[in-house]
């Protein structure tokens, strides 16, 4: 057949085939569709530790369909292991590295007709989808699925609280944790990993029902083979990611995100993926749809009883999409070769405790709200599905910290009080750099009954409570969050989508005139480069457009702070 390899000039093609034969392939195998299998297996990440085994089934399916699979690897960071220390600075930037490495392997070798991307966890799933969109080869996403949980979410959370209170030791906490995180697969709660697995399916890039299959179950192994077969067929049909990841598909994904109360990190990742296929997906879309799409599926962290294992048992993404079918785009194409409507035609909700009816939702609005106001002119995010109704309005005095470490130290010295509006700034994409998740901070603040957290950093998908993050512009861009002082009044009204720093405009102007900033000192040239080139959370923390005037304009407006020193308000 005419594959990509056959279009290379004869002499170069002959030498190229010679190199491939050195890897153990035979000359006769090269007259087939050549399919890249981009894997993110490693021995560190629970969601990825089984992907080498799963890849064998993908490759078997490719061969059955008449293709030649060639596998390569990329990196994967475990957010659970990176939490609470400097390693979290690398997690979000790794998304761009993943997309770049997959692009490099595919483009540098120039022989691939299609691709399968394999991942499970937080930044890896979106990084793979970004690569698929950028390369626009016929592509299928194979997901690592979910580990089982042998205890309920509330039991795991109680053990963590007991450890923080000194009631149990390290070994006991590890034992309990291993009942909640017992084996390979994504962690069972609806964090970023399982949110992005579900959204891969909602986008149409993963086969139906594959989001939250049990890792290495028989159904998952067979689904992996089918994904391999479908990828070869998509090469023959000439169906590419841009045919699937349309504006309608992204609106479907946002709708599913809102209906299940998924991770706020999806509001970073979906715009970044959309950018790769030329679709504009501003935060306004999330909020517009949030007022239209009800919250239907309550699993942890939105409650303490159910996990994504229960959500899969209740019918998974197809059942959830069928429940909101009248509010989405059912004619969107998917990698199955069918439309969304065809994929969900036979779906059924098996447990109404998990997926509520459209006419009797958990809440009339979706799980995420976008706040604006003078403290977040370009937007900030809150998972309103994880906040008690009585806490959706708040008024408190600011207690300001310039890093996660400063906050933790203050907590350890008893300097956090009921009624505080805790502000943690300089944790955004540029200021962090790397926009760390502040999950440990939210765990600490859960000990208090009436405290808000406002940050230009971000949160784990497991975070709940009155936690407002992704504040844009961030402190390092000269956002208003940089000018908050201890004792300032902050007013939050989630229903009105407003977050206001109650300080007179002339006072703010004086603070701006006296305020100077700096790029945090760091040993990593990678993080330095990331800080200088990333955009804000409001645009998905993607890289700046490096074409001519666009780059110069954004550098001048957002990186001026880096020639100065961050010293706070000068005396």
């Amino acid at each position: 057949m005419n594959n990509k390899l056959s279009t290379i000039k004869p002499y170069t093609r002959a030498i190229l085939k010679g190199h491939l034969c050195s890897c153990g392939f035979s000359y006769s195998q090269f007259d087939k569709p050549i399919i890249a299998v981009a894997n993110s297996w490693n021995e560190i990440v629970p969601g990825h530790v089984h992907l080498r085994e799963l890849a064998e089934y993908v490759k078997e399916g490719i061969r059955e369909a008449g293709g030649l699979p060639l596998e390569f690897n990329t990196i994967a960071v475990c957010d659970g292991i990176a939490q609470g220390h400097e390693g979290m600075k690398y997690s979000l930037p790794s998304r761009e590295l993943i997309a770049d490495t997959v692009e490099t392997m595919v483009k540098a070798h120039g022989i691939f007709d299609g691709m399968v991307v394999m991942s499970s966890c937080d930044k890896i799933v979106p990084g793979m989808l970004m690569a698929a969109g950028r390369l626009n080869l016929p592509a299928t996403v194979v997901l690592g699925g979910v580990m089982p949980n042998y205890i309920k979410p509330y039991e795991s959370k109680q053990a963590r609280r007991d450890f923080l209170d000194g009631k149990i030791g390290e070994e006991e906490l590890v034992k309990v944790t291993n009942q909640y995180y017992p084996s390979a697969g994504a962690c069972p709660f609806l964090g970023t990993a399982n949110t992005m697995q579900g959204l891969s399916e909602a986008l149409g890039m993963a086969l139906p029902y594959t989001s939250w299959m049990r890792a290495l179950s028989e159904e998952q192994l067979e689904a992996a083979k089918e994904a391999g077969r479908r990828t070869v067929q998509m090469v023959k049909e000439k169906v590419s990611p841009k045919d699937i990841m349309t504006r309608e598909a992204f609106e479907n994904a946002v709708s599913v995100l809102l209906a299940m109360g998924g991770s706020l990190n999806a509001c970073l990742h979906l715009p970044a993926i959309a950018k790769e296929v030329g679709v504009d997906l501003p935060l306004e879309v999330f909020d517009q749809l949030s007022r239209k799409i009800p919250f239907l599926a309550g699993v942890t962290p939105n409650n303490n009883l159910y996990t994504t294992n229960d959500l899969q048992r209740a019918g998974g993404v197809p059942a959830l999409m069928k429940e909101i079918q009248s509010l989405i785009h059912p004619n969107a194409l998917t990698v199955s070769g069918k439309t969304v409507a065809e994929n969900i035609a036979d779906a059924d909700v098996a447990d109404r405790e998990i997926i509520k009816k459209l006419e009797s939702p958990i809440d009339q609005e979706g799980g995420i709200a976008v706040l604006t106001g003078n403290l977040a002119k370009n937007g900030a995010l809150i998972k309103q599905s994880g906040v008690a109704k009585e806490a959706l309005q708040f008024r408190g005095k600011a207690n300001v910290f310039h890093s996660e470490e400063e906050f933790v130290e203050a907590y350890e010295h008893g300097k956090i009080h009921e009624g505080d509006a805790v502000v943690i700034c300089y944790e955004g994409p540029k200021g962090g750099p790397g926009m760390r998740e502040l999950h440990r901070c939210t765990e600490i603040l859960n000990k208090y009954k009436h405290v808000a957290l406002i940050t230009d950093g971000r949160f784990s998908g497991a975070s709940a409570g009155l936690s407002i993050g992704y504040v844009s512009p961030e402190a390092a861009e000269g956002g208003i969050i940089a000018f908050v002082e201890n004792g300032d009044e902050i007013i939050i009204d989630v229903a009105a989508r407003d977050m206001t720093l109650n300080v007179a405009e002339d006072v703010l102007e004086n603070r701006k005139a006296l305020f100077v900033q700096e790029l945090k000192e760091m040993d990593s040239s990678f993080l330095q480069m990331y800080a200088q080139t990333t955009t804000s959370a409001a645009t998905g923390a993607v890289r700046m457009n490096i074409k001519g005037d666009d780059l110069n304009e954004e550098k001048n407006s957002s990186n001026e702070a880096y020639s100065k020193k961050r010293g706070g308000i000068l005396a």
Side-chain angles (χ1 to χ4, degrees):
M1 66 164 282
N2 290 325
N3 58 10
K4 176 81 172 182
L5 184 57
S6 69
T7 66
I8 297 173
K9 292 184 178 181
Y11 178 69
T12 301
R13 184 171 67 241
I15 302 302
L16 191 158
K17 288 182 177 181
H19 283 296
L20 290 173
C21 287
S22 300
C23 296
F25 299 100
S26 64
Y27 179 78
S28 61
Q29 290 180 283
F30 300 132
D31 189 24
K32 299 175 180 180
I34 300 179
I35 309 299
V37 179
N39 202 342
S40 49
W41 167 86
N42 64 46
E43 292 185 325
I44 303 167
V45 185
H48 294 241
V49 72
H50 61 303
L51 294 185
R52 184 163 61 176
E53 183 176 350
L54 193 61
E56 293 305 315
Y57 290 85
V58 172
K59 291 190 284 188
E60 184 178 338
I62 292 169
R63 294 186 192 102
E64 286 178 3
L68 173 64
L70 298 179
E71 183 182 0
F72 61 83
N73 226 60
T74 187
I75 62 169
V77 172
C78 179
D79 277 29
I81 296 174
Q83 285 284 355
H85 56 81
E86 287 289 303
M88 182 50 71
K89 291 179 181 287
Y90 290 85
S91 178
L92 182 58
S94 76
R95 184 189 70 183
E96 267 56 37
L97 274 179
I98 290 161
D100 290 348
T101 54
V102 174
E103 176 194 356
T104 298
M105 287 296 290
V106 171
K107 286 283 195 179
H109 295 104
I111 60 174
F112 295 109
D113 302 289
M115 60 191 295
V116 176
V117 295
M118 302 186 62
S119 59
S120 298
C121 294
D122 300 46
K123 311 308 168 294
I124 306 93
V125 175
M128 290 290 199
L129 282 165
M130 288 168 68
R134 186 183 302 175
L135 292 163
N136 203 35
L137 293 175
T140 306
V141 176
V142 169
L143 301 162
V146 186
M147 63 177 69
N149 57 287
Y150 299 124
I151 60 174
K152 294 289 187 180
Y154 70 84
E155 295 174 283
S156 174
K157 291 179 181 179
Q158 184 60 54
R160 293 186 178 207
R161 283 195 293 269
D162 288 346
F163 180 83
L164 289 171
D165 292 339
K167 295 178 181 178
I168 63 173
E170 180 183 276
E171 187 174 358
E172 180 62 24
L173 179 58
V174 171
K175 285 181 180 178
V176 176
T177 299
N178 283 344
Q179 292 297 300
Y180 195 51
Y181 305 143
S183 61
C187 301
F189 57 87
L190 189 59
T192 309
N194 279 318
T195 295
M196 293 311 301
Q197 290 199 114
L199 298 187
S200 298
E201 185 179 334
L203 267 174
M205 289 297 292
L207 290 173
Y209 295 99
T210 60
S211 298
W212 307 307
M213 286 179 171
R214 184 71 59 85
L216 295 183
S217 62
E218 287 299 319
E219 66 174 355
Q220 188 189 55
L221 300 180
E222 181 52 44
K225 282 197 285 187
E226 177 58 20
R229 291 190 287 263
R230 272 299 304 157
T231 305
V232 177
Q233 188 60 34
M234 288 167 66
V235 171
K236 297 174 182 178
E237 295 167 355
K238 298 182 179 179
V239 175
S240 69
K242 287 186 179 179
D243 298 317
I244 294 170
M245 290 195 286
T246 61
R247 174 60 181 250
E248 290 74 21
F250 280 101
E251 289 186 3
N252 285 348
V254 173
S255 297
V256 170
L257 168 69
L258 297 167
M260 67 184 179
S263 171
L264 293 171
N265 282 323
C267 301
L268 286 175
H269 299 321
L270 287 176
I273 299 162
K275 181 177 182 290
E276 298 289 354
V277 293
V279 173
D280 185 34
L281 194 67
L283 287 181
E284 288 85 351
V285 173
F286 291 80
D287 199 56
Q288 289 164 6
L289 288 173
S290 184
R291 297 174 188 272
K292 169 186 169 185
I293 304 294
F295 173 42
L296 298 178
V299 299
T300 188
N302 300 314
N303 73 27
N304 286 321
L305 290 175
Y306 304 116
T307 68
T308 47
N309 287 297
D310 299 299
L311 192 50
Q312 181 75 354
R313 173 177 54 80
V317 170
L320 188 57
M321 293 188 82
K322 189 169 185 179
E323 198 62 39
I324 60 172
Q325 184 172 0
S326 62
L327 303 174
I328 62 174
H329 304 284
N331 293 324
L333 182 64
T334 74
V335 293
S336 70
K338 300 176 181 178
T339 64
V340 168
E342 291 171 319
N343 284 343
I344 67 177
D346 296 327
D348 190 29
V349 176
D351 190 335
R352 284 296 180 184
E353 282 296 309
I354 310 299
I355 301 176
K356 304 296 185 182
K357 292 183 178 180
L358 183 63
E359 59 269 23
S360 54
I362 300 169
D363 196 283
Q364 292 295 337
E365 290 192 347
I368 292 172
V370 181
L371 309 186
T372 53
N374 71 344
L375 197 46
K377 290 183 178 180
N378 295 341
L381 300 171
I382 182 171
K383 183 187 276 193
Q384 60 179 349
S385 58
V387 185
K389 290 291 185 184
E390 62 272 14
L392 291 173
Q393 288 185 319
F394 178 92
R395 185 185 296 257
K397 300 296 184 182
N399 193 355
V400 183
F401 307 96
H402 281 191
S403 69
E404 178 182 14
E405 288 79 9
E406 284 184 16
F407 164 78
V408 172
E409 183 178 358
Y411 162 72
E412 291 173 347
H413 288 85
K415 295 181 180 179
I416 308 298
H417 310 287
E418 292 288 356
D420 281 354
V422 173
V423 177
I424 304 177
C425 53
Y426 290 97
E427 288 290 1
K430 293 179 171 66
M435 202 180 191
R436 287 189 286 185
E437 282 185 348
L438 304 186
H439 180 52
R440 296 290 176 257
C441 300
T442 60
E443 285 187 314
I444 288 171
L445 291 179
N446 280 338
K447 294 166 62 69
Y448 299 85
K449 294 180 180 179
H450 188 62
V451 169
L453 172 60
I454 300 108
T455 180
D456 53 8
R458 60 191 178 88
F459 301 123
S460 161
S463 296
L466 193 58
S467 303
I468 300 167
Y470 310 77
V471 171
S472 299
E474 62 172 291
E477 290 184 302
I480 296 297
I481 192 172
F483 310 128
V484 181
E485 291 188 6
N486 288 332
D488 288 347
E489 184 178 57
I490 293 176
I491 304 169
I492 299 165
D493 188 337
V494 175
R497 302 299 201 261
D498 184 74
M499 183 169 63
T500 297
L501 176 65
N502 192 20
V503 172
E505 189 62 34
D506 61 331
V507 174
L508 281 177
E509 289 302 320
N510 287 336
R511 292 180 185 180
K512 290 178 185 179
L514 294 171
F515 200 82
V516 290
Q517 303 164 299
E518 70 173 5
L519 180 63
K520 291 178 182 176
E521 292 184 7
M522 64 195 100
D523 296 330
S524 169
S525 60
F526 168 61
L527 290 180
Q528 289 175 15
M529 179 182 67
Y530 182 81
Q532 293 288 351
T533 59
T534 188
T535 60
S536 76
T539 55
V542 297
R543 270 195 301 260
M544 293 177 186
N545 185 343
I546 57 173
K547 295 179 181 178
D549 292 340
D550 290 343
L551 175 62
N552 294 330
E553 181 179 345
E554 183 143 11
K555 275 189 173 180
N556 290 336
S557 64
S558 64
N559 284 347
E560 180 181 354
Y562 295 128
S563 63
K564 304 175 182 178
K565 290 188 176 182
R566 177 182 70 86
I569 304 301
L570 294 179

